[in-house]
Amino acid sequence: MGFSKDFVWGAATAAYQIEGAANEDGRGLSVWDICCMKDGFVKDGDTGNVACDHYHRMKSDVALMKELGLKAYRFSISWSRVIPNGFGEVNEKGLDFYSALVDELLENGIEPYVTLFHWDYPVELFKMGGWLNPASSDWFAMYAKVVVDKLSDRVKHWMTLNEPQCFIGLGHETGIHAPGLKLQPYYYLQAAHNTLLAHGKAVQVIRQYSKQPCEVGYAPIGDTRIPISASERDIEAARKATFACNPDGPIWAPTWWIDTAIFGKYPKEAFEGKLGQNMPKIGQDDMKTICQPLDFLGLNMYQGGYVRAAENADGYEFVKKPVGYDQTAIKWPVTPEMLYYGPKFYYERYKLPILITENGLSSMDWVSMDGKVHDPNRIDFLNRYLLQYRRAADDGVALKGYMQWSLMDNFEWGEGYNERFGLIYVDYPTQKRIIKDSGYWYRSVIESNGENL
């Protein structure tokens, strides 16, 4: 069967990771701008002030996308570039940048896929409580309307939030990501609930104000447990483990973010024990607002953990990683089977077409003596994962597309510029771009619609 004829091949980025121009043309500060100023928050004191300078190099970057043969490009909007204070006065220069980007993409035959929020929360709203403020979902809805009014005459594909597990879990629970908070469960669960309300209200806004028929989804982490064998018991154990909700770490449970958005209810564990005591007050219409019809489910998938069926119970147990297990430069395990079992499990549960919104790896890339960037490990990694993804298609899973992470090397949050995920190498001092071997390999995959894997 293979990938469908209308399968979407693309690559992805995020605004703060590539744009730079942090203090230009009226852009307001985000929480990442502030956290980068704190000693030790980001490795080597790196910041996103310049990043890949995409704000000034947008047209040449789109030309590189065309050279790669991309059919689609997933990018995010910087909220504080569009509305510097988070709500109120709109920065037309900021909006114009994204409008010009959309035009450039379409002129080059590349379909824009817009993510409204990828972690760069406006500082002025954070000072008013951020996601803890009951008005935060309305702020997000107002922002969404500004963007939709400007771009929806040309943009058909929308995503609301990227990886809420990270900007709530890492940003509000452990504090290792911006805004750097270490809150008690009572508070970060409230922030999570307001985030879900923001998602639902943004979906409503997109559908109400889009100037043409559109598709709407969102992009949580697709955390997946992989069966250690192909036995039915191990597969069922992996399915259960994938959708389990750990009361001690509920923010990382896929069901916390996806059951709510698609089924309109929190997992049952949310109301049990100490976790239930910390749950926010849920308004009468909150779950109706959160549960909006979606056209596809975006999933960010990089690594999974293996499980087996428990010997004497109808449950599961985690399998310890073997000594010397395969891992990427950022020390994430190489687990290609997740791109088979993940889409399969999520499609079975949620009955929505699956779009892999992020998948890729950080590798040890440098410019060789011949002036090229040879990255065979990335080619091997992507080949293995895409073969598993095609296997899911062969099994009848509805696959919408695949967005490789990332288009280019960029600011990797707390790791700064120490990790290279791109198909395109960026020499940061000169901003020179070099398409890596993997970029040309990916172009051949796109040209064959995955048949050459």
Side-chain angles (χ1 to χ4, degrees), residues 87-104:
F87 69 89
E89 185 176 355
V90 174
N91 177 26
E92 294 297 337
K93 286 186 177 180
L95 265 181
D96 287 344
F97 167 74
Y98 296 108
S99 183
L101 170 58
V102 168
D103 286 344
E104 194 71 18

Side-chain angles (χ1 to χ4, degrees), residues 107-121:
E107 287 173 13
N108 284 276
I110 302 168
E111 195 70 23
Y113 277 65
V114 172
T115 303
L116 289 172
F117 182 72
H118 197 134
W119 305 3
D120 46 351
Y121 198 84

